[in-house]
Amino acid sequence: MQTTKILRLLGSWVMVFGFSSWLSAQHVELNPYAGGLLAPNDGINTATGSFDLKQEGLFGIRASFFPTENIEVEGNFGYINHFEFEESDPESRGYLWEASGSYRFDLEGEGLKPFLIVGIGGITASVDEDEPGFLNAPTPVFESGDTFFTFSYGGGLKTPQLWGPLGLRGDIRGRTAPNLLGEALTWLEVTGGLTFTF
């Protein structure tokens, strides 16, 4: 419970700091995105067996600003439509929240802008308590409000301002939850979407 309070306080501080910095930035980007989680085959192990996260859709929006020409600071909020394990269907959703920093490479004469990115944040579960919906009773499940620290790392490509303020962006990231129900779990996230530059 104490960890959840600390993570919420950290998230609030990052959002306040990010928003105030965003207002003073000269270059701001919005990135609505969609993609998916490619969960690993080696999930968590319990006394009743080994369980994998479902491979599910991820939808969200990122807002960022550039304190320098190549460094970007970003806030990310995402929605996972089934944040749950295989062999269960408890109507469990996940809310991803994260602060990230990235370094963008400017290739002279090229519209493509590759970048490297790292982030810290968490995933908070939201479970429909009225419908536990277990298909396999021993399968571990999340409780509403369970929050797990995560960090991400990876990179991607942008083509900003292809048509006025509109561009494209794609990300490939690894995401690690070092203590998800007592075990470390890493999965791959692949997302793509539009960028709006102001």
Side-chain angles (χ1 to χ4, degrees):
M1 199 65 175
Q2 187 66 23
T3 303
T4 301
K5 289 180 180 177
I6 292 171
L7 288 173
R8 287 182 179 164
L9 182 62
L10 176 63
S12 300
W13 181 83
V14 167
M15 290 174 64
V16 168
F17 172 76
F19 187 69
S20 62
S21 300
W22 181 8
L23 291 177
S24 63
Q26 295 181 356
H27 181 178
V28 174
E29 285 185 2
L30 292 178
N31 169 224
Y33 65 86
L37 309 179
L38 304 178
N41 292 325
D42 54 342
I44 70 165
N45 293 291
T46 71
T48 56
S50 179
F51 301 97
D52 299 328
L53 281 175
K54 290 184 177 179
Q55 299 191 32
E56 287 297 333
L58 172 65
F59 311 91
I61 189 164
R62 303 180 183 104
S64 59
F65 67 94
F66 287 80
T68 72
E69 186 67 26
N70 297 96
I71 294 175
E72 184 174 11
V73 177
E74 164 177 289
N76 176 12
F77 180 78
Y79 171 77
I80 304 166
N81 56 349
H82 287 282
F83 183 54
E84 59 202 44
F85 293 95
E86 298 286 353
E87 307 301 327
S88 70
D89 191 17
E91 297 299 324
S92 178
R93 292 157 179 79
Y95 296 97
L96 170 68
W97 43 274
E98 179 177 50
S100 304
S102 68
Y103 185 85
R104 187 180 72 178
F105 300 91
D106 288 326
L107 304 180
E108 193 170 339
E110 299 291 335
L112 289 176
K113 301 200 181 288
F115 60 91
L116 297 175
I117 190 164
V118 294
I120 59 169
I123 296 177
T124 300
S126 176
V127 182
D128 186 344
E129 304 289 352
D130 296 331
E131 275 187 55
F134 301 119
L135 302 179
N136 182 359
T139 303
V141 294
F142 303 119
E143 293 183 11
S144 226
D146 280 354
T147 298
F148 306 99
F149 170 75
T150 70
F151 57 92
S152 68
Y153 37 86
L157 283 174
K158 291 183 184 182
T159 54
Q161 297 177 299
L162 283 175
W163 308 280
L166 183 63
L168 300 172
R169 170 176 168 169
D171 287 55
I172 298 178
R173 302 192 197 194
R175 184 173 299 280
T176 296
N179 188 16
L180 192 126
L181 299 184
E183 294 200 24
L185 194 63
T186 297
W187 59 88
L188 186 67
E189 288 179 8
V190 179
T191 59
L194 303 173
T195 62
F196 298 91
T197 304
F198 304 98

